C-alpha cells in the first residue's frame, strides 16, 4: 500500500508522476518509484528507498548515465506512466520490493495498493510457467498474471482475467508496452479515482495527486475496472459490461483534498479503520481454521512454541491494546499474561528471563520507554516481539520478531486506526498461540477466524449508521466524565476516556466497574455523565448491577451495548448500539462510538483535534 498515480496524455509523464506522488506524501511511505513508456519503445523504470528526494536523485543519476553513454534523454520522454509510494507490508524495505513491479519480459508494469491474499498459490503457478520473480512482495504476482493473460487479448481483457483470479482487497493500475496510450485500473475495496483533464487523464488513489491539473473526477466504485486513455475512460464490470459514469466537478482546496473531504485528519482516520483492520488480518487469516503469522524477514513462529509466560509492555493507547490482548491470550491460549506500563517496568528490576516472551507494543516503533523495557527483557534472556506500524523503526531492529499492524500513516495525534490494528494483531497472536498449544478446537478457531474477518464490514456498517450528535450536544459542556467497564470492557473504557481527555481536555476518569464503590462513586451526582461498556460478555449481569448503582446516585448513564440487548435500555438514559459478534472481539467495535463521541465533543468545544495541546505523535523521551 500507499499512493498510486497514473497518467496518459500529451505532456511528459515523468514530472507529472513525481508531482502527484509528492501530493500523496502525507499518506506516508518508505520507498517510491515510477515507470514511463518511453518514446524509444521501452519501459523505463526508476525506484528508490526513502523519500521522493531519493527517487529524484536516482532519476538524475540515470539521466547522467544515459548522457555519458550517448543516449539522448529526450528519446526516453514518454506521455504514459505510473508511479507509487510504498508503505511496506510484504517484504523488506528495499529497491527490489518498491513499486512499480514488472513481468519477466518487462512489457507489463503495475502499481498496487492492498493485499493479494492468494499470492503464494499464484506465485507457484506462475513460476512453474516460467515467470521470474524479483521481489518478496505479494503485489508482483499481478504483473506476471496480467502478462500471462495478455498473450490472448488486450490489456483490458488481461486485467479482467487477472482480477477474476485475485483474492484480497486491492487497487492496481497496469501498463503494457503493447498499448502505450492505455492504462487499466481495477478496484476492490481500496480507493482509486479518475481525474479528467483536457486531452489527458489521471488515475490515483487520492484526489490530491491530480488536483493541480483538474477538478473533474469520476468515481470508480468497488468491484469495477476502468480503461483509461488521453481521450477518456471506459468503465467495466468484471464480466466486461460497460458502465456509465458521470464526470463530477469538485470544489476542494488542497488541504481538504488531503483529508479526503473530511474536516480533519482524525475523522478521516476514524473512517479508515475498516480498511486498516482488513489490511492487518487479510493474508494472516487465509486458512479458515487458524492464523498464520510467519512473515518474510520479520517473524519466526518458533518464538511462540515453548513460551511459559507472556509480558506485555506498552504506553498509552498501546497499553490499552495490550490489555485486550491479555484477556484474549489467557482466554484462548491459557497462558499467563502480565501487563506493565513500560515506563514503570524499565525501573522496577523485573523478574524476567529465558522462557518468557515479552511483547512491546509501540505504534511508531520509537517510543523510548517501550524500547528500554524491551531491551531490559532481552538482556535478561527473554524473547522479544515488537508490535508496531513502522518498518525499519528501532523496535523492529531490537526485537527477535516483529508483527506489523499495517495501519498506514496516522496524522492525527490521538490514535484511532493504529489502536484497532494493534488490537487485531493481538487477537491474531492469541489465536495462533491457542492453535499451537491445542487449547481451542478446530470448530472454535474456525468460528473466531470467521468472526474476525467480519470486523471490517461491521466497522463500516457501524460508522455509516452512527449518529451521536444529540449525545454530544447533551454533554459537551460537562466538566467531568466517568468511564466504566469490566473484563474486556475495561480497556475499552480506558481507551474511550483517554480519547476524550486527549482532544477535549475534559477531566475524565476510567475505572473497573466493580471497583467504583471503593472511591469513584463519591464523584457522582446529577451532572455526571457515566459511559458504561455493556457489551455482551459472561459478566454482563455484573455490569448491569454497576449501572444500577450509578443511576441510584443520580448520574446520567450512556451505555455502549450490543444489538439485541434489551435489558440495558431499562437502566441507561442513552444507549449506543454496536453490531453483535463474539464477545471477546467486541472491543474492536465498542471503541468506535467512543472515538466518535470524543471527536464530536471536542469539535463542539471548538478544539483542534488533529493537534491537541502538549501532545506528540511519537514520544521519544522519558
Amino acid at each position: 500500500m500507499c499512493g498510486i498515480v497514473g497518467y496518459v496524455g500529451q505532456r511528459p509523464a515523468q514530472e507529472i508522476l513525481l508531482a502527484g506522488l509528492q501530493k500523496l506524501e502525507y499518506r506516508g511511505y518508505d520507498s517510491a518509484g515510477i515507470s514511463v513508456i518511453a518514446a524509444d519503445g521501452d519501459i523505463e523504470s526508476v525506484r528508490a528507498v526513502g523519500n521522493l528526494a531519493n527517487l529524484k536523485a536516482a532519476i538524475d543519476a540515470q539521466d547522467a548515465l544515459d548522457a555519458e553513454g550517448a543516449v539522448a534523454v529526450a528519446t526516453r520522454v514518454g506521455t504514459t506512466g505510473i508511479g507509487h509510494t510504498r508503505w511496506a507490508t510484504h517484504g523488506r524495505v528495499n529497491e527490489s520490493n518498491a513499486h512499480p513491479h514488472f513481468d519477466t519480459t518487462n512489457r507489463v508494469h503495475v502499481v498496487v495498493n492492498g493485499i493479494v491474499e492468494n499470492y503464494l498459490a499464484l506465485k507457484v503457478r506462475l513460476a512453474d510457467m516460467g515467470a521470474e520473480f524479483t521481489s518478496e512482495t505479494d503485489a508482483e504476482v499481478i504483473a506476471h498474471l496480467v502478462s500471462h493473460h495478455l498473450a490472448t487479448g488486450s490489456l483490458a481483457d488481461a486485467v479482467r482475467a487477472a482480477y477474476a483470479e485475485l483474492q484480497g482487497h486491492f487497487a492496481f493500475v497496469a501498463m503494457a508496452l503493447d498499448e502505450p496510450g492505455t492504462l487499466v485500473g481495477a478496484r476492490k475495496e481500496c480507493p482509486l479515482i479518475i481525474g479528467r483533464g483536457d486531452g489527458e487523464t489521471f488515475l490515483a488513489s487520492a484526489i490530491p495527486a491530480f488536483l493541480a491539473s483538474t477538478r473533474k473526477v469520476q468515481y470508480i466504485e468497488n468491484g469495477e475496472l476502468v480503461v483509461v486513455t488521453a481521450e477518456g475512460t471506459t468503465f467495466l464490470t468484471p464480466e466486461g459490461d460497460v458502465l456509465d459514469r458521470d464526470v463530477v466537478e469538485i470544489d476542494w482546496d488542497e488541504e481538504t483534498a488531503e483529508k479526503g473531504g473530511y474536516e480533519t485528519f482524525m475523522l478521516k482516520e476514524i473512517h479508515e479503520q475498516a480498511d486498516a483492520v482488513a489490511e492487518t488480518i487479510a493474508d494472516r487469516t487465509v486458512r479458515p481454521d487458524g492464523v498464520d503469522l510467519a512473515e518474510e524477514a520479520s517473524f519466526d513462529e518458533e518464538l511462540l512454541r515453548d513460551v511459559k509466560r507472556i509480558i506485555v509492555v506498552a504506553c498509552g493507547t498501546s497499553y490499552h491494546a495490550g490489555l485486550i490482548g491479555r484477556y484474549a491470550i489467557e482466554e484462548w491460549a491459557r497462558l499467563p499474561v502480565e501487563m506493565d506500563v513500560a515506563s514503570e517496568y524499565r525501573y522496577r528490576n523485573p523478574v524476567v528471563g529465558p522462557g518468557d516472551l515479552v511483547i512491546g507494543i509501540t505504534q511508531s516503533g520509537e517510543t523510548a520507554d517501550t524500547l528500554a523495557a524491551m531491551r531490559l527483557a532481552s538482556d535478561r534472556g527473554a524473547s522479544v516481539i515488537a508490535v508496531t506500524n513502522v518498518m525499519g523503526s528501532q523496535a523492529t531492529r531490537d526485537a527477535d520478531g516483529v508483527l506489523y499492524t499495517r495501519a498506514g500513516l496516522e496524522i492525527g495525534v490521538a490514535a484511532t486506526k493504529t489502536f484497532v490494528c494493534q488490537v487485531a494483531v493481538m487477537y491474531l497472536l492469541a489465536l495462533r498461540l491457542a492453535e499451537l498449544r491445542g487449547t481451542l478446537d478446530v470448530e472454535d478457531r474456525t468460528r473466531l477466524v470467521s468472526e474476525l474477518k467480519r470486523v471490517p464490514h461491521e466497522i463500516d456498517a457501524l460508522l455509516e449508521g452512527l449518529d451521536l450528535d444529540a449525545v454530544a450536544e447533551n454533554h459537551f459542556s460537562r466538566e467531568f466524565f466517568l468511564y466504566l467497564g469490566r473484563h474486556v470492557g475495561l480497556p475499552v473504557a480506558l481507551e474511550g476516556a483517554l480519547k476524550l481527555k486527549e482532544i477535549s481536555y475534559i477531566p475524565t476518569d476510567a475505572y473497573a466497574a466493580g471497583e467504583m464503590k471503593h472511591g469513584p462513586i463519591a464523584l457522582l451526582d446529577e451532572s455526571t455523565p457515566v459511559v458504561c461498556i455493556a457489551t455482551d460478555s459472561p459478566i454482563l449481569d455484573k455490569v448491569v448491577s454497576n449501572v444500577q448503582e450509578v443511576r441510584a446516585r443520580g448520574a446520567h448513564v450512556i451505555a455502549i451495548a450490543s444489538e439485541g440487548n434489551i435489558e440495558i435500555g431499562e437502566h441507561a438514559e442513552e444507549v449506543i448500539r454496536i453490531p453483535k459478534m463474539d464477545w471477546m472481539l467486541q472491543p474492536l467495535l465498542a471503541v468506535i462510538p467512543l472515538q466518535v463521541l470524543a471527536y464530536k465533543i471536542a469539535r463542539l468545544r471548538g478544539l483542534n483535534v488533529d493537534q491537541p495541546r502538549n501532545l506528540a505523535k511519537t514520544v521519544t523521551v522519558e
Side-chain angles (χ1 to χ4, degrees):
M1 56 184 294
C2 203
I4 287 174
V5 181
Y7 175 78
V8 184
Q10 315 307 319
R11 294 187 282 163
Q14 178 175 294
E15 292 306 315
I16 293 172
L17 295 173
L18 290 171
L21 292 178
Q22 189 169 10
K23 290 299 183 182
L24 298 180
E25 283 191 292
Y26 71 94
R27 296 165 67 89
Y29 64 104
D30 48 50
S31 58
I34 62 170
S35 291
V36 176
I37 298 181
D40 61 0
D42 200 1
I43 298 180
E44 299 286 346
S45 187
V46 183
R47 302 179 292 179
V49 172
N51 59 26
L52 288 179
N54 294 350
L55 178 60
K56 292 174 183 177
I59 291 170
D60 291 342
Q62 185 63 52
D63 286 346
L65 186 65
D66 288 347
E68 286 179 11
V71 176
V73 174
T75 66
R76 296 197 296 105
V77 174
T79 59
T80 300
I82 53 178
H84 190 270
T85 52
R86 177 184 188 238
W87 182 291
T89 57
H90 287 70
R92 290 160 289 187
V93 179
N94 59 32
E95 189 175 310
S96 296
N97 290 331
H99 298 222
H101 289 296
F102 43 84
D103 72 322
T104 308
T105 63
N106 197 43
R107 301 188 70 81
V108 173
H109 282 225
V110 301
V111 286
V112 184
N113 282 350
I115 297 278
V116 180
E117 293 179 2
N118 60 331
Y119 82 99
L120 285 174
L122 291 171
K123 186 174 184 177
V124 170
R125 194 185 97 205
L126 290 162
D128 288 343
M129 292 189 294
E132 297 178 6
F133 286 82
T134 60
S135 79
E136 302 166 318
T137 70
D138 59 326
E140 188 185 352
V141 299
I142 297 180
H144 294 284
L145 194 59
V146 171
S147 177
H148 167 68
H149 289 295
L150 193 59
T152 57
S154 67
L155 180 60
D157 292 335
V159 169
R160 283 201 307 110
Y163 182 91
E165 293 193 62
L166 297 169
Q167 297 172 13
H169 64 284
F170 47 79
F172 70 89
V173 180
M175 177 174 76
L177 193 58
D178 299 339
E179 298 182 39
T182 301
L183 298 176
V184 180
R187 180 189 171 199
K188 185 178 181 183
E189 299 175 12
C190 284
L192 197 62
I193 195 163
I194 296 289
R196 294 289 298 273
D198 185 9
E200 59 186 7
T201 310
F202 304 81
L203 262 170
S205 50
I207 289 173
F210 54 72
L211 192 63
S213 297
T214 183
R215 282 177 159 74
K216 294 180 179 178
V217 305
Q218 287 177 296
Y219 294 102
I220 306 170
E221 301 297 338
N222 188 37
E224 291 181 356
L225 296 84
V226 62
V227 181
V228 175
T229 66
E231 291 72 37
T233 56
T234 302
F235 287 78
L236 301 170
T237 67
E239 294 72 36
D241 298 326
V242 176
L243 302 166
D244 290 329
R245 190 56 42 82
D246 293 335
V247 177
V248 178
E249 187 147 1
I250 60 169
D251 59 0
W252 294 358
D253 57 26
E254 289 192 13
E255 183 180 357
T256 303
E258 287 186 357
K259 295 171 182 172
Y262 293 100
E263 61 181 2
T264 65
F265 281 110
M266 183 178 178
L267 187 60
K268 174 177 176 283
E269 288 154 7
I270 286 172
H271 283 265
E272 288 175 343
Q273 290 182 111
D275 285 345
V277 172
E279 194 89 28
T280 300
I281 67 175
D283 59 316
R284 293 154 165 170
T285 53
V286 173
R287 282 194 298 122
D289 62 343
V291 165
D292 293 307
L293 298 177
E295 300 177 60
E296 292 188 50
S298 67
F299 192 73
D300 181 355
E301 287 193 337
E302 290 301 318
L303 289 169
L304 306 179
R305 293 192 183 277
D306 299 317
V307 172
K308 302 295 188 294
R309 179 180 64 149
I310 291 176
I311 300 155
V312 181
V313 291
C315 302
T317 284
S318 297
Y319 177 82
H320 302 153
L323 279 173
I324 295 172
R326 177 179 70 177
Y327 284 108
I329 292 170
E330 291 189 341
E331 180 78 17
W332 297 338
R334 306 307 298 149
L335 261 172
V337 182
E338 296 179 11
M339 274 300 309
D340 265 285
V341 176
S343 57
E344 290 296 311
Y345 184 82
R346 63 184 293 193
Y347 290 118
R348 69 172 178 84
N349 194 20
V351 179
V352 62
D356 292 331
L357 176 65
V358 173
I359 303 171
I361 307 178
T362 160
Q363 180 273 137
S364 66
E366 304 290 348
T367 308
D369 288 317
T370 305
L371 292 175
M374 291 165 60
R375 288 174 190 140
L376 184 155
S378 183
D379 289 345
R380 296 189 180 185
S383 298
V384 177
I385 292 174
V387 173
T388 186
N389 195 40
V390 182
M391 276 198 171
S393 59
Q394 189 62 49
T396 68
R397 298 194 294 274
D398 289 350
D400 300 306
V402 185
L403 291 172
Y404 291 105
T405 52
R406 305 174 178 175
L409 182 69
E410 187 174 70
I411 292 176
V413 170
T416 52
K417 65 177 181 175
T418 52
F419 170 75
V420 294
C421 289
Q422 288 173 343
V423 174
V425 164
M426 295 304 289
Y427 284 142
L428 292 169
L429 179 60
L431 284 168
R432 186 62 182 140
L433 282 164
E435 183 174 4
L436 291 172
R437 293 169 58 81
T439 50
L440 278 180
D441 60 29
V442 173
E443 183 178 345
D444 284 335
R445 292 200 312 269
T446 301
R447 177 181 57 81
L448 288 166
V449 169
S450 175
E451 288 276 275
L452 187 56
K453 293 172 79 168
R454 274 181 51 212
V455 168
H457 170 77
E458 298 296 356
I459 290 176
D460 260 342
L462 175 59
L463 282 167
E464 186 175 340
L466 200 58
D467 182 2
L468 298 182
D469 289 346
V471 181
E473 288 277 359
N474 289 342
H475 304 292
F476 79 95
S477 61
R478 301 297 185 186
E479 297 305 316
F480 172 71
F481 276 69
L482 180 64
Y483 283 64
L484 298 175
R486 298 191 79 147
H487 200 274
V488 78
L490 173 58
V492 176
L494 291 167
E495 177 61 14
L498 179 61
K499 288 286 102 47
L500 186 65
K501 66 182 74 169
E502 279 181 317
I503 63 175
S504 75
Y505 315 146
I506 297 173
T508 308
D509 204 355
Y511 242 81
E515 290 291 291
M516 176 188 59
K517 53 188 171 291
H518 296 289
I521 200 167
L523 298 170
L524 302 184
D525 61 25
E526 291 79 2
S527 68
T528 311
V530 179
V531 180
C532 297
I533 314 305
T535 54
D536 291 343
S537 79
I539 58 165
L540 178 58
D541 59 333
K542 305 293 184 185
V543 177
V544 171
S545 296
N546 297 138
V547 169
Q548 291 171 321
E549 292 173 340
V550 168
R551 291 194 76 192
R553 273 71 184 178
H556 186 103
V557 174
I558 304 166
I560 308 296
S562 308
E563 290 174 351
N565 183 340
I566 305 302
E567 183 183 6
I568 197 67
E570 301 171 3
H571 305 289
E573 281 74 18
E574 293 167 299
V575 181
I576 302 166
R577 303 283 180 183
I578 66 168
K580 193 177 184 66
M581 65 165 32
D582 184 88
W583 65 273
M584 184 62 79
L585 300 176
Q586 284 200 321
L588 280 172
L589 302 177
V591 75
I592 306 293
L594 301 185
Q595 295 169 346
V596 175
L597 180 61
Y599 179 88
K600 289 184 176 293
I601 287 173
R603 295 295 286 174
L604 286 170
R605 292 167 77 97
L607 299 171
N608 181 346
V609 298
D610 284 340
Q611 296 176 313
R613 69 188 183 200
N614 305 330
L615 296 178
K617 189 66 180 169
T618 303
V619 183
T620 58
V621 297
E622 287 193 54

